[in-house]
């Protein structure tokens, strides 16, 4: 791991913690004092935003805090065991990242993006239009972009390198990767999370169209445990229930302004060119920030401090 390269270079230096990895949005640290924090990892959410498989040069103020606070709220609502150990300075979180960081159990992550879909869109819709299936699961005929599925389905994908598109895989593929027992558990937990969360979101007038979760094995308890972030606008498609209308693309809760601007003539960016997207104008940044905060406030019923 080369911490001097790319957006990893933006990860803050934190006393007591060694930076070991940066994903598109999160920075991971290991404790320097392993005895004080056995089997722990510090997960810090940045304000980075990605779109069309690029991490943008612009950041969205407060996004890291929104993602972290929303994840923590969901972890409390869900009945599935999760990786969170602590969130305060007393728990070991460095003061400068309090609010957007969690001390977590260091899990042995499964290399599977566990996705549940209750509605058809995105890569699921693309496969359905070509083959009538999603991840080899046959669906009824006549479904459109945004259609509700008869029941939620488990549609796993394999994690791609930064800049690459994750690839849909079949349930059989998952059993080949992690074994029969773990595959069944991953599927059942993912669908249980979707059903629980879908009901909670619906009460708030929000459709949870699909969501991605990641699990790992807890080396201490031996249990398959929910890791990473959960049910945020980055990992899930939230739609406004009052404007949902199958047969067209549904406006996305979070990145709509970013996507609209990047693909507009004004940005001057050609998505197929392979070039890095340009910096976002201030009003697109501000409206996107407001969308993330709105998602937090509508889902949790709390004001974002
Ligand atoms: P995306 O999720 O958008 O595909 P990414 O996977 O590149 O992006 P981030 O989500 O930014 O990366 O980084 C989080 C990383 O930390 C992921 O690789 C995730 O698997 C890993 N991770 C999350 N929780 C834990 C944990 N408790 N123990 C070990 N690794 C974890
Ligand atoms: Mg991730």
């Amino acid at each position: 791991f080369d911490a001097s390269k790319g957006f990893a270079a933006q990860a803050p230096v934190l006393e007591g913690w060694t930076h070991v990895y940066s994903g598109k949005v999160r920075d991971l640290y290991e404790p320097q004092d392993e005895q004080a924090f056995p089997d722990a990892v510090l997960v810090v959410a940045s304000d980075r935003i990605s779109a069309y498989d690029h991490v943008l040069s612009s950041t969205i103020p407060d996004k890291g805090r929104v993602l972290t606070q929303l994840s923590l709220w969901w972890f409390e609502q869900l009945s599935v065991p999760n990786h969170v150990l602590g969130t305060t300075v007393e728990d070991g979180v460095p003061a400068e990242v309090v609010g957007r960081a969690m001390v977590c159990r260091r899990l042995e992550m499964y290399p599977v993006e566990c996705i549940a879909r209750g509605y058809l869109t995105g890569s699921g819709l693309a496969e359905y239009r070509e083959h009538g299936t999603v991840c080899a699961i046959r669906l009824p005929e006549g479904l459109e972009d945004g259609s509700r599925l008869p029941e939620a389905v488990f549609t796993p994908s394999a994690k791609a390198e930064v800049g690459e598109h994750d690839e849909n895989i079949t349930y059989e593929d998952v059993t080949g990767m992690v074994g029969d027992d773990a595959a069944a558990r991953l599927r059942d937990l993912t669908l249980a999370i979707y059903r629980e969360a879908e009901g909670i979101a619906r009460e708030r007038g929000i459709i949870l169209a699909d969501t991605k979760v990641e699990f790992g094995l807890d080396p201490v308890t031996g249990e398959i445990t929910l890791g990473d972030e959960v049910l945020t606008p980055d990992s899930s498609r939230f739609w406004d229930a009052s404007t949902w209308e199958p047969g067209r693309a549904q406006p996305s809760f979070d990145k709509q302004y970013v996507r609209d601007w990047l693909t507009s003539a004004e940005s001057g960016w050609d998505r197929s060119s392979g070039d890095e997207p340009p910096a976002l104008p201030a009003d697109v940044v501000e409206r996107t920030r407001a969308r993330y905060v709105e998602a937090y406030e509508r889902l949790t019923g709390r004001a974002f401090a």
Side-chain angles (χ1 to χ4, degrees), residues 26 113 159 212 214 228-229:
R26 267 160 290 279
E113 309 253 334
K159 232 178 154 60
K212 180 204 78 175
E214 291 183 37
D228 212 48
E229 64 168 358

Side-chain angles (χ1 to χ4, degrees), residues 111-244:
V112 181
E113 309 253 334
C114 293
I115 299 167
R117 295 172 198 268
Y119 293 76
L120 190 63
T121 191
S123 67
L125 178 68
E127 183 185 324
Y128 172 77
R129 283 187 171 152
E130 204 173 333
H131 304 290
T133 57
V134 179
C135 297
I137 301 165
R138 183 143 302 274
L139 298 178
E141 280 174 35
L143 299 178
E144 305 174 290
D145 193 353
S147 288
R148 183 171 193 177
L149 301 176
E151 60 175 350
V153 288
F154 177 59
T155 61
S157 74
K159 232 178 154 60
E161 295 297 312
V162 170
E164 304 278 310
H165 227 54
D166 291 348
E167 196 185 324
N168 285 358
I169 56 177
T170 67
Y171 182 70
E172 295 310 313
D173 294 330
V174 180
T175 62
M177 291 160 80
V178 305
D180 289 355
D181 291 350
R185 184 102 180 112
L186 294 179
R187 178 196 58 202
D188 294 348
L189 286 172
T190 303
L191 289 171
I193 289 167
Y194 177 82
R195 289 195 198 101
E196 254 183 296
E198 192 266 343
I200 293 172
R202 182 167 294 278
E203 289 167 12
R204 276 94 168 150
I206 292 174
I207 292 176
L208 175 63
D210 53 38
T211 193
K212 180 204 78 175
V213 287
E214 291 183 37
F215 295 94
L217 203 58
D218 184 328
V220 177
T221 63
E223 239 183 323
I224 293 184
T225 301
L226 184 55
D228 212 48
E229 64 168 358
V230 280
L231 295 153
T232 69
D234 279 10
S235 64
S236 316
R237 283 191 177 91
F238 294 117
W239 296 336
D240 201 318
S242 64
T243 59
W244 170 61

